Amino acid sequence: MGLFTAIVSFLALFSSFTAANPLSKRASLTQVTNFGSNPSGTLMYIYVPNKLATKPAIIVAIHYCSGTASAYYSGSPYAQLAEQYGFIVIYPQSPYSGTCWDVSSKAALTHDGGADSNSIANMVTYTLQKYSGDASRVYVTGSSSGAMMTNVMAATYPEMFAAGIAYGGVPAGCFYTGTVNGWNGTCSSGKVIASQAYWASTVKAMYPGYTGARPKMQIYHGTADTTLYPQNYNETIKEWTGVFGYSATPASVRANYPLQNWYTETYGPNVQGVYGIGVGHTPPIQGASDMAFFGFTGNNNNGGGSTTTTKAATPAPTATTPAGGSGGGTVAQWGQILRIVGSLFFGTSLSYRGQYDVTEEYDDVVLAKRVEFVVDKYELGIKRQVKYPDSVSDVSNCQNVWSDGHSKGPPTSKWVATLKQLIAAYRQERIDPDRNNGTTSLFSLKQQALVAEVQGSAVYRDVKTGRSVDIRTLGGSWPKLYEGFTKKGERARELKPNWDREHARARSGNSPRDARI
């Protein structure tokens, strides 16, 4: 939805992992120094609840860059949940300056290779032995750099973990540099793009000869992540679906779960993706959902939200098939559509920043320093059936092209993302002092027709007060930006009637399905 794409309040989401009546931490975080071989010098901290279960499960909770075991203990829900479910939590702590994890060296990416991953595995072995833990119920999770390590642990020690949940990471092996604790800017910016087969072979090479069971995986990411770009979500999904032999197209997509504007994509029994529209780095931990995925509570597919499957009903015989059209195939997955919509935020915003000299204001919104965009409402209409290319979800393959607003598709604000057979175009519509309104359309070059539209609005909100704000009163270049929005909206309204008339024939009689979500 262009510049008014949902930038969901991170702070509001971060608090969502706590229950209405949060549990109290009854035990304390304790350091363990004698857990066995520790080749990388990684620190071990452990939380053993007062109400320890017989043969307890174990969760390894791995912190982010700049974090510590204590910070993740305090800022995540796992210690509270341990009191309820009786499991033990291991909180490793990085030994490096900056406290990122080594997911870049050959040793780290090798089973028993003698790096951080090896040390963490030895922590698990120690805990299982000391507390008579259940080796069939060992789980791993982490945020950011910890999410990277989550994927690495699942790849290097598949026999040890039953499941993993990665909050905003990259695929195992993506960050390889050949150095200890290295930074891979190509990977972080989403430019490492490979096939399922490549990623699957990368995982399997980390433990050569292993043929046993592998952990099921759940991958969280946000569309507005500018630290570990959203393409890393797609690549991680390809990695684990490749390992399990699933299609890279989800079997089902569940809207607004576990939160509003989140989409849970199920690829098979062992792989789920959770994609947050407008969510930055890193996604907030969903404690209740984690407990379900790890098997402490009921099926994590139960609860709120709505689900759709990818297989479409066969079109009625009377439906008109346009020249060059597919005449069938799969219905556009609205989870994927919104993923593309989210990607338009950056391109459209960049065009505004350059045109109106509003760099400071752009950064203000992207980083939610003073003002944030919060979704007010949206409506998604799937207009017709079309076979989408595999690259539809690879938003990094988009080409930024300029359009005059009426040549190939509906009027736009002069920024169009071209995805081989599709054009995703944003049209600025009404602009109010405290909100933005617009429409994003998907146009099929093959069918020369609209296949989906997203209409919606988002509110400008003061980060501190949580109240809507008139951007004209903010000073700086905000009034200039508002003026620019207004002009774009006026220009779009001028172009729209002509475009509608020119494409009236293509639009009539060619909508076998119009699903409102």
Side-chain angles (χ1 to χ4, degrees):
M1 276 175 271
L3 189 56
F4 74 88
T5 296
I7 301 299
V8 182
S9 170
F10 180 83
L11 292 177
L13 290 176
F14 186 78
S15 66
S16 66
F17 69 73
T18 58
N21 297 300
L23 298 165
S24 298
K25 295 175 183 174
R26 299 181 177 89
S28 60
L29 186 67
T30 304
Q31 185 174 4
V32 178
T33 58
N34 60 342
F35 60 85
S37 175
N38 185 10
S40 70
T42 300
L43 283 69
M44 176 183 179
Y45 292 81
I46 193 169
Y47 183 86
V48 181
N50 287 342
K51 295 182 179 180
L52 183 63
T54 302
K55 202 174 182 182
I58 296 170
I59 292 180
V60 180
I62 310 176
H63 66 73
Y64 42 86
C65 281
S66 78
T68 62
S70 178
Y72 211 52
Y73 161 76
S74 301
S76 67
Y78 301 115
Q80 295 100 322
L81 292 166
E83 291 294 346
Q84 182 175 354
Y85 296 103
F87 57 78
I88 295 170
V89 189
I90 298 172
Y91 295 95
Q93 182 169 306
S94 167
Y96 308 109
S97 174
T99 64
C100 294
W101 292 99
D102 177 15
V103 291
S104 58
S105 70
K106 177 65 175 176
L109 302 176
T110 303
H111 180 82
D112 289 345
D116 293 355
S117 54
N118 200 162
S119 293
I120 293 172
N122 292 342
M123 295 176 192
V124 173
T125 300
Y126 164 86
T127 305
L128 285 170
Q129 293 173 350
K130 180 173 178 61
Y131 296 96
S132 300
D134 187 346
S136 69
R137 294 194 300 148
V138 179
Y139 310 101
V140 60
T141 185
S143 300
S144 189
S145 183
M148 299 185 200
M149 182 56 81
T150 294
N151 284 317
V152 168
M153 294 306 300
T156 53
Y157 292 89
E159 80 288 4
M160 181 169 284
F161 298 101
I165 301 176
Y167 282 96
V170 304
C174 183
F175 236 64
Y176 176 77
T177 63
T179 60
V180 175
N181 191 31
W183 181 265
N184 189 321
T186 304
C187 177
S188 66
S189 60
K191 296 177 182 177
V192 178
I193 301 171
S195 66
Q196 282 181 293
Y198 171 84
W199 287 121
S201 65
T202 297
V203 168
K204 293 174 183 178
M206 295 184 192
Y207 192 176
Y210 179 77
T211 58
R214 294 185 182 272
K216 66 178 184 176
M217 298 298 295
Q218 189 174 59
I219 310 302
Y220 280 78
H221 220 102
T223 64
D225 192 332
T226 57
T227 302
L228 301 174
Y229 278 51
Q231 182 62 31
N232 285 299
Y233 172 81
N234 302 323
E235 300 307 305
T236 310
I237 291 296
K238 285 193 284 185
E239 181 168 72
W240 292 112
T241 54
V243 166
F244 287 104
Y246 301 152
S247 168
T249 299
S252 66
V253 181
R254 183 178 179 189
N256 299 316
Y257 184 82
L259 298 169
Q260 187 74 21
N261 296 318
W262 288 73
Y263 295 84
T264 297
E265 303 173 331
T266 300
Y267 295 83
N270 296 317
V271 180
Q272 273 193 343
V274 187
Y275 207 57
I277 305 302
V279 176
H281 188 76
T282 61
I285 296 171
Q286 303 299 309
S289 179
D290 288 2
M291 293 301 97
F293 190 76
F294 286 156
F296 292 100
T297 59
N299 191 323
N300 68 308
N301 285 324
N302 293 334
S306 59
T307 303
T308 184
T309 56
T310 63
K311 184 174 178 60
T314 303
T318 55
T320 303
T321 300
S326 66
T330 58
V331 160
Q333 298 168 31
W334 39 268
Q336 289 182 326
I337 291 173
L338 289 179
R339 188 182 306 173
I340 297 168
V341 169
S343 74
L344 289 175
F345 170 78
F346 298 102
T348 306
S349 300
L350 283 169
S351 74
Y352 289 150
R353 181 171 66 172
Q355 287 177 272
Y356 301 112
D357 190 25
V358 289
T359 299
E360 182 177 348
E361 287 72 17
Y362 168 83
D363 292 339
D364 183 354
V365 172
V366 170
L367 300 176
K369 293 179 179 178
R370 185 169 53 143
V371 179
E372 60 186 352
F373 290 159
V374 181
V375 167
D376 180 34
K377 61 181 178 179
Y378 70 89
E379 184 179 71
L380 169 61
I382 297 176
K383 300 295 185 182
R384 56 195 295 124
Q385 292 177 318
V386 61
K387 286 185 177 179
Y388 283 82
D390 292 339
S391 63
V392 69
S393 62
D394 292 341
V395 297
S396 66
N397 288 339
C398 297
Q399 292 177 307
N400 293 352
V401 298
W402 295 100
S403 167
D404 62 3
H406 60 270
S407 58
K408 286 286 187 181
T412 74
S413 58
K414 291 190 176 181
W415 193 89
V416 181
T418 303
L419 299 97
K420 293 186 179 179
Q421 297 182 38
L422 297 175
I423 291 178
Y426 171 65
R427 180 175 68 245
Q428 175 76 54
E429 294 178 340
R430 192 180 78 255
I431 172 70
D432 297 323
D434 67 340
R435 72 186 58 232
N436 202 328
N437 306 266
T439 298
T440 299
S441 302
L442 293 188
F443 186 85
S444 169
L445 294 176
K446 184 176 182 180
Q447 296 194 30
Q448 287 292 293
L450 281 173
V451 294
E453 285 187 330
V454 182
Q455 297 177 320
S457 63
V459 175
Y460 303 101
R461 194 169 69 180
D462 186 288
V463 171
K464 292 183 178 179
T465 67
R467 297 177 180 176
S468 61
V469 61
D470 183 338
I471 63 174
R472 298 173 301 178
T473 67
L474 295 177
S477 295
W478 281 104
K480 186 188 299 184
L481 183 61
Y482 175 79
E483 180 182 352
F485 284 150
T486 302
K487 290 180 178 178
K488 283 182 178 290
E490 291 173 350
R491 178 59 175 161
R493 286 193 294 274
E494 291 175 4
L495 292 172
K496 188 175 186 301
N498 289 335
W499 188 90
D500 285 342
R501 285 192 296 272
E502 292 172 5
H503 295 79
R505 182 174 299 177
R507 294 169 74 97
S508 63
N510 289 330
S511 298
R513 181 177 181 207
D514 187 357
R516 295 290 174 182
I517 295 169

